Amino acid sequence: MAAELPNSTIADALEELGDLYELDGAIVHRVLAYRTAARSVRESPVSVAALARAGKATQIAGIGATLQEKILALAETGVIPAAEKLRAKFPPGLIAITRLPGLGPKRARLLHSELGIEDIEQLRAAALAQKLRDVRGLGPKFEANVLLALQDGAPASSAPRVLLPKAIELGQALIVGLRESAPRDAQLELAGSARRLADSVKDIDIIATTAEPEALSGLVADLEQIESVSSSGPAGARARTHSGISVDLRIALPAQHGNLLQHFTGSGRHNAALREGAVRRGLHVSEYGVLNDADGISRTCAEEREVYELLGLAWIEPELREDRGELEAAVLSDPSGAGLPELISQQDIRGDLHSHTIASDGRNTIGEMAKAARELGYEYLAITDHSASHGFGNDVSPEELRRQIERVKEANSAIEGIELLAGSEVNILPDGSLDYEDELLAQLDWVVASVHTSFGMAEQAMTERMITAIEHPLVDAIGHPTGRMIVRREPYAVDLEAVFAAAARTGTLLEINANPDRRDLSDVNARAAVRAGVRIVIDSDAHRIATLANMRWGIATARRAWLRKEDVANTLPWAKLRKQRKRGRGKR
DNA sequence: GCCGTTTTCGGCCCGACTGTTTTCAGTCG
């Protein structure tokens, strides 16, 4: 099988084409169509190039005959003719200009046609020379704002994103700060992507209800985390923290609490799709209410559930609100009865199968980890220190692992109320082999195999490497299967379709690693894995007592992946799970 | 460009804010 053009490359090309069409003055819906298609391609679990070759790419939402043809051209010739033409028309620097705050495609095009500006440097020079104010439709204020945007340093595209735990911590701190002096009746809560438990968050959205909105709004400027407030009024305030994160506070009457919470939880795409569906039923949804064309009455909702009810939908868990099929599944009268999944929750987890101790790079002893896991209510904990070639000076030699197995057994007999499993997080070497002998691995209760080296391998070699490990009869699970670090590192090149097929075929579990930096598999990939017949294990990968609690971020990813309790192996008691291990198959 | 309890054309979410405008276009979330 020849390597296909990666979905990410196709998605990038469609996004660029969308940008170019936007500069060219295409109607917004056409541009939007490209962006929707790009996102669908990026999230597709199967190769879109291969689908296009088979004439089946149109099965993907947002891709029609035209786009399939363009994708095919890109896959076969490396270029999309329409993009070539437009690139000749607009200099590449113009797209960067459209990313600056306050500038968009229309103004970028105007600057290009009127002043011949081709990139950010020329824009800066023209602004300094006060040439922008002479362009019809622009003025001195605009010119000043351009200079401000350019001087701000950070090009808008690289606005800082914070990981979910940080975002929630910041959001809660802001809420606590506001509560200290807020009007008595004020109710505050975190909304936006933090409420949806997304991987990372671009801005903090807080909603509030109170009868004294101005009083609440005015408090934002006094918060210690806030650097500046850009607007403030009875509807809320918009501000920036010292760390550069923007904060949005929106205030409504208690009777509109449900409308506001729904609106501000998003995602933007979920809301857009929700509203498009509503319009077909003669309803218009906004943060203020649901307007019915039939009687001209706008109904307000104190509870979020009522908003969905008015639209004939079941309430949708915030984690699912990404326009990934949740609206179709929520239709109450849906004859297909597909419905929304009953999502897994923290209480369903019976044990943690990936943790480290002082034997490798952890900070606590076996006994300390065991007690902490027991306090979390777990029935079992696997101690899975790194293996013989970890390479950070804390390798566990085969002899040491034998001693560690004994230590785990001793600790297990010494503690009541939790079962300790002797395991290892074994390195998958570049050729797919493991760095302990099978004889030793066979003595372990649990084996997680992970890639920790040679991330830069070509896709085909990496795929073979992983499949070799998956096919190893003693490997129970693959740890952090794509190696991504949120915000910091892209996943390595690997054919996940093939990996999922191998995992499903062999009964190897794939991990959702709950470390908030990783959350790997991602929501989209974990969902695709389960659809391909793979079972998932959610692990904390704790390196100290405190990080056992990271499990919650893995649960968040699993919920965003539509996973139910039955999709996740460590919702089973160990006695059951033990028999389902690969090596247990066929026995008995 | 896509898509169909408006099916092969004519629609395609909603509102706020800003700056430039005498009524609105562009941008943003």
Side-chain angles (χ1 to χ4, degrees):
Chain A
M1 179 178 74
E4 287 284 5
L5 199 62
N7 287 347
S8 59
T9 307
I10 298 171
D12 290 346
L14 294 180
E15 256 164 33
E16 186 205 6
L17 194 47
D19 288 341
L20 287 166
Y21 275 129
E22 192 174 38
L23 275 174
D24 201 33
I27 62 161
V28 62
H29 302 108
R30 190 174 173 204
V31 176
L32 225 56
Y34 275 89
R35 295 195 175 141
T36 305
R39 176 200 183 232
S40 287
V41 169
R42 208 178 289 285
E43 293 185 354
S44 167
V46 299
S47 164
V48 175
L51 281 180
R53 277 184 218 283
K56 289 182 182 166
T58 53
Q59 290 171 0
I60 296 175
I63 295 187
T66 308
L67 279 178
Q68 171 162 272
E69 201 177 302
K70 290 190 157 125
I71 291 167
L72 204 55
L74 183 67
E76 300 199 328
T77 69
V79 290
I80 301 174
E84 293 286 275
K85 241 188 236 172
L86 289 167
R87 277 198 210 110
K89 200 166 162 186
F90 301 108
L94 270 194
I95 291 180
I97 290 180
T98 67
R99 305 264 193 267
L100 293 169
L103 280 114
K106 299 277 163 54
R107 283 172 186 158
R109 193 181 176 199
L110 188 66
L111 292 166
H112 182 232
S113 64
E114 294 298 308
L115 299 173
I117 289 171
E118 298 200 340
D119 56 35
I120 287 190
E121 276 321 302
Q122 293 179 10
L123 174 64
R124 189 196 309 275
L128 287 171
Q130 305 197 335
K131 284 183 182 160
L132 304 186
R133 58 183 64 186
D134 298 333
V135 177
R136 183 172 167 74
L138 308 180
K141 276 259 175 66
F142 173 80
E143 197 171 78
N145 284 337
V146 166
L147 285 171
L148 200 67
L150 289 172
Q151 163 212 322
D152 240 5
S157 58
S158 65
R161 291 195 76 96
V162 289
L163 291 174
L164 181 62
K166 261 259 157 65
I168 290 179
E169 192 187 337
L170 173 57
Q172 295 300 353
L174 293 169
I175 286 175
V176 167
L178 286 171
R179 274 199 192 120
E180 276 177 17
S181 335
R184 276 257 179 95
D185 71 328
Q187 299 283 336
L188 293 134
E189 65 192 293
L190 198 52
S193 48
R195 182 172 179 235
R196 301 199 311 277
L197 305 182
D199 291 339
S200 66
V201 170
K202 196 156 61 72
D203 44 35
I204 307 286
D205 295 320
I206 296 170
I207 70 152
T209 57
T210 174
E212 303 171 62
E214 285 97 341
L216 184 58
S217 197
L219 296 175
V220 173
D222 300 332
L223 294 171
E224 60 177 357
Q225 297 92 343
I226 296 302
E227 174 208 80
S228 60
V229 176
S230 57
S231 70
S232 175
R238 162 146 263 213
R240 227 171 94 113
T241 67
H242 294 291
S243 49
I245 309 297
S246 63
V247 176
D248 251 333
L249 170 70
R250 286 289 292 270
I251 307 169
L253 296 170
Q256 290 173 317
H257 168 261
N259 303 100
L260 186 61
L261 180 59
Q262 195 287 321
H263 168 76
F264 235 38
T265 296
S267 65
R269 287 175 186 276
H270 172 87
N271 284 353
L274 174 105
R275 290 166 179 186
E276 277 165 23
V279 168
R280 279 183 236 126
R281 304 170 60 115
L283 300 165
H284 302 272
V285 180
S286 79
E287 58 265 54
Y288 301 108
V290 179
L291 172 68
N292 191 335
D293 281 339
D295 55 16
I297 294 175
S298 182
R299 291 175 171 78
T300 57
C301 304
E303 297 300 326
E304 193 180 47
R305 192 173 295 272
E306 300 165 27
V307 177
Y308 288 92
E309 267 171 20
L310 283 173
L311 305 177
L313 301 173
W315 180 76
I316 299 173
E317 305 267 10
E319 295 94 321
L320 298 182
R321 300 183 197 171
E322 300 291 344
D323 191 25
R324 292 176 181 154
E326 72 279 9
L327 289 161
E328 293 80 352
V331 174
L332 288 173
S333 59
D334 180 12
S336 79
L340 291 163
E342 188 172 332
L343 298 179
I344 185 171
S345 71
Q346 179 90 43
Q347 292 71 40
D348 295 324
I349 297 293
R350 303 255 194 150
D352 194 337
L353 291 164
H354 185 165
S355 70
H356 297 265
T357 70
I358 52 174
S360 64
D361 58 350
R363 291 286 180 275
N364 291 101
T365 63
I366 298 169
E368 289 163 351
M369 293 295 279
K371 276 184 205 151
R374 186 177 61 184
E375 274 168 34
L376 291 173
Y378 293 151
E379 298 169 12
Y380 50 94
L381 172 72
I383 304 294
T384 56
D385 277 296
H386 287 288
S387 52
S389 64
H390 186 228
F392 288 92
N394 43 36
D395 305 354
V396 177
S397 68
E399 299 72 41
E400 183 61 24
L401 179 58
R402 286 178 212 278
R403 284 193 285 274
Q404 175 82 342
I405 293 172
E406 288 313 310
R407 283 196 288 265
V408 171
K409 280 182 183 167
E410 283 163 23
N412 191 41
S413 4
I415 190 167
E416 296 277 310
I418 186 162
E419 183 159 11
L420 295 179
L421 310 175
S424 177
E425 182 183 13
V426 182
N427 277 350
I428 303 173
L429 301 172
D431 67 354
S433 65
L434 308 177
D435 59 351
Y436 287 129
E437 297 296 327
D438 288 359
E439 172 269 323
L440 181 51
L441 292 176
Q443 295 182 38
L444 296 169
D445 298 309
W446 196 252
V447 176
V448 184
S450 310
V451 167
H452 287 116
T453 55
S454 306
F455 297 129
M457 287 171 74
E459 178 178 322
Q460 196 173 341
M462 183 62 93
T463 304
E464 284 166 13
R465 175 186 188 181
M466 294 201 60
I467 290 178
T468 301
I470 287 168
E471 287 175 341
H472 194 293
L474 293 169
V475 167
D476 296 298
I478 301 293
H480 42 75
T482 77
R484 74 152 180 176
M485 300 287 264
I486 299 167
V487 187
R488 293 187 356 232
R489 186 170 82 201
E490 289 297 308
Y492 35 72
V494 61
D495 178 355
L496 283 177
E497 218 179 320
V499 166
F500 295 163
R505 174 166 50 78
T506 56
T508 308
L509 305 177
L510 296 185
E511 181 182 74
I512 291 178
N513 187 294
N515 179 329
D517 278 298
R518 293 186 181 270
R519 297 176 70 177
D520 178 13
L521 296 172
S522 69
D523 47 11
V524 169
N525 287 334
R527 190 177 179 195
V530 167
R531 280 180 166 173
V534 174
R535 291 193 87 200
I536 298 292
V537 57
I538 309 175
D539 294 325
S540 72
D541 193 3
H543 281 66
R544 59 180 73 219
I545 288 173
T547 47
L548 280 165
N550 276 346
M551 185 66 81
R552 68 180 286 204
W553 313 118
I555 299 286
T557 292
R559 289 169 63 85
R560 291 175 57 83
W562 293 53
L563 300 199
R564 307 155 306 163
K565 178 182 177 182
E566 49 267 42
D567 298 318
V568 177
N570 51 326
T571 61
L572 294 173
W574 172 243
K576 258 196 178 161
L577 176 53
R578 182 169 173 270
K579 289 183 197 150
Q580 292 182 9
R581 290 178 305 171
K582 276 152 71 178
R583 69 186 96 166
R585 290 175 155 194
K587 284 186 197 168
R588 273 165 241 216

